[in-house]
Amino acid sequence: MARKYHISFLILVAVMLLISGCSTEQANSSAELTTGLSKDEINNEAFKDLFPLQYNSYMKNEEEEDTKYGGSVKRSKYDPDKEPYLPILFNGYGFATEYNEDRGHVYANQDVRDIARITDKSIGSCLTCKSSAVPHMIEEMGDDYWGGNFNKDIWPKAEEMGHSAIGCSDCHDPETMDLRITRPSFIKAMESQGLDVSNPTKNEMRSFVCGQCHVEYYFAPENGEVTFPWAEGFKPEEMYEYYDTIAKDTGFEQDWIHTVSGTPILKAQHPEFETHMEGPHGKADVSCSDCHMPYERADGKKKITSHWWTSPLKTMEESCATCHSNRDIEELEERVGDIQDTHMKALHKAEDVSITAHYYINKMITSGVDEAKIKQAQEHVRKGQWMWDIVAAENGAGFHNPQGGMDTLRISEVESNAAILIATEELVKKGVSLEELNKEIEKVKKAVTGEKDNFKKKEHAINSYFPTQQPAPKK
């Protein structure tokens, strides 16, 4: 009887295969599902009807909400409850003119277009992590993209191509929706460490797609190409070593000369990827997406990956509790808060020491201190500000790597204090009143924070007591 049923089942399967016209080859090809979209599709709207739940989740990035140490509201970082001393620390550079809190990714094109830091001298590289047209522009234009004039050439071309803000095609292949790397700078930077990203695991890709843009970078002097300083490693001190050796050897020495101290300064960007990779979650192979794109129930039913890129503090049940199931949510939130509060206190302390160091060096210059001593102090303040800024520019408020962040801020303080010590010894020899000097520094800080017009705050960082030390622009 069993044999009879077995033969009947085989016959039934054979008939079904004949009716469906299925073969092994066809079965395999049918598994390779495609969206029907062009491989060159870059407009987010094209994905809307195919993936409505994910698209609706992505559009939540339009929401603007302030948080204790960040948020997505378009506010100036110079505001009194934010970072009011930035116009001093970035004096002489575009970040002292306008520097705002980050809004949702959907606003990327609008915000880069409106920011006062974009001028007629800005280059194509400034658009690299903002527009979905960039991968095709790089492919089509080559090096002409990186160094192309932003206002005259690059932006109009992106508009003509029908680009969108950071979105679907930046992370997904439009045909298959497989995760992919679209920015060549990331691949080059990983290769500089001897890391092959040609065949990553799915979990690795869940961090790599974020690591294309949430990183520290600079513009290569020869062509303006976006370049990551990773050859020595991801740690702040390793990236600083890169800047002092490899970058200098290829012609990049600084982002700008500081107006107050005349120091060649490096401007850190947003090194979330590097900070995470060196932190406890990164070391445990937790991906960026595990925390910032947790699974959620869309329409109360279907399970999807959230495309609302926000703080896990807003989605703790879906993100944190997935792994920390043995901890109470309120307890976890309190723990995160303690980490961030401690971190921000240390950040502001290092910031204050860096400011003092800049003004002490200014007084060294105007008092006629030996140039060798001035240069020695400048080297310390350069490293001190870098170690502060690489932490300040990172958007996790210390949580991505709590111990690493505190260690880096400690180095910042040590370096800035070393500059102050050198200056103090030399200024005392010159008969300079340190009491008067410190009072003048406090006056400047009050003038900067007291200015209501954010665009004018930078003007109060220098005065007759602390004259500018930035060289005149080349004609």
Side-chain angles (χ1 to χ4, degrees), residues 298-338:
D299 293 340
K301 299 177 182 179
K302 190 173 182 181
K303 184 179 179 182
I304 67 166
T305 298
S306 172
H307 283 65
W308 179 35
W309 300 308
T310 189
S311 168
L313 288 171
K314 298 178 183 178
T315 59
M316 294 189 75
E317 288 285 358
E318 295 81 10
S319 53
C320 307
T322 301
C323 294
H324 300 282
S325 56
N326 61 330
R327 302 282 293 275
D328 181 76
I329 290 295
E330 291 184 0
E331 180 186 351
L332 284 172
E333 189 171 4
E334 182 179 350
R335 174 63 178 147
V336 174
D338 287 344

Side-chain angles (χ1 to χ4, degrees), residues 210-420:
C210 305
Q212 299 179 93
C213 291
H214 286 267
V215 292
E216 159 60 8
Y217 65 88
Y218 70 103
F219 297 160
E222 65 273 15
N223 62 356
E225 182 176 359
V226 172
T227 307
F228 305 167
W230 291 354
E232 303 293 331
F234 291 138
K235 295 178 180 179
E237 56 268 37
E238 291 171 332
M239 288 189 277
Y240 188 80
E241 176 66 19
Y242 173 98
Y243 279 122
D244 254 12
T245 54
I246 297 172
K248 278 188 176 181
D249 290 343
T250 56
F252 180 83
E253 295 190 15
Q254 75 275 327
D255 284 293
W256 89 102
I257 302 296
H258 203 285
T259 308
V260 176
S261 66
T263 303
I265 296 290
L266 300 167
K267 175 68 190 81
Q269 310 307 323
H270 26 65
E272 286 80 43
F273 178 76
E274 302 97 310
T275 306
H276 165 76
M277 292 295 285
E278 290 295 326
H281 286 85
K283 294 293 185 183
D285 292 327
V286 176
S287 75
C288 304
S289 299
D290 288 326
C291 301
H292 293 279
M293 300 178 68
Y295 292 114
E296 64 178 4
R297 292 289 176 183
D299 293 340
K301 299 177 182 179
K302 190 173 182 181
K303 184 179 179 182
I304 67 166
T305 298
S306 172
H307 283 65
W308 179 35
W309 300 308
T310 189
S311 168
L313 288 171
K314 298 178 183 178
T315 59
M316 294 189 75
E317 288 285 358
E318 295 81 10
S319 53
C320 307
T322 301
C323 294
H324 300 282
S325 56
N326 61 330
R327 302 282 293 275
D328 181 76
I329 290 295
E330 291 184 0
E331 180 186 351
L332 284 172
E333 189 171 4
E334 182 179 350
R335 174 63 178 147
V336 174
D338 287 344
I339 289 172
Q340 293 186 328
D341 288 345
T342 301
H343 167 86
M344 294 304 290
K345 287 178 182 178
L347 178 74
H348 290 145
K349 185 180 178 183
E351 176 185 279
D352 195 59
V353 180
S354 183
I355 290 171
T356 301
H358 279 292
Y359 283 111
Y360 267 57
I361 292 174
N362 182 286
K363 198 59 180 174
M364 289 176 76
I365 297 170
T366 59
S367 300
V369 171
D370 182 73
E371 287 189 13
K373 289 292 184 178
I374 294 172
K375 185 175 181 180
Q376 188 179 354
Q378 287 175 333
E379 288 175 355
H380 284 296
V381 82
R382 168 183 163 95
K383 188 172 183 179
Q385 177 147 334
W386 161 259
M387 291 297 175
W388 162 80
D389 196 17
I390 197 70
V391 176
E394 203 273 333
N395 287 315
F399 185 75
H400 286 140
N401 187 357
Q403 188 60 57
M406 295 299 286
D407 289 344
T408 301
L409 292 173
R410 178 187 58 79
I411 296 172
S412 174
E413 277 198 63
V414 168
E415 293 293 333
S416 296
N417 275 318
I420 293 171

Side-chain angles (χ1 to χ4, degrees), residues 16 119-120 135 142 154 170 189 262 347 379 396 400 404:
M16 290 178 65
T119 69
D120 288 338
I154 301 302
D170 290 303
L347 178 74
E379 288 175 355
H400 286 140

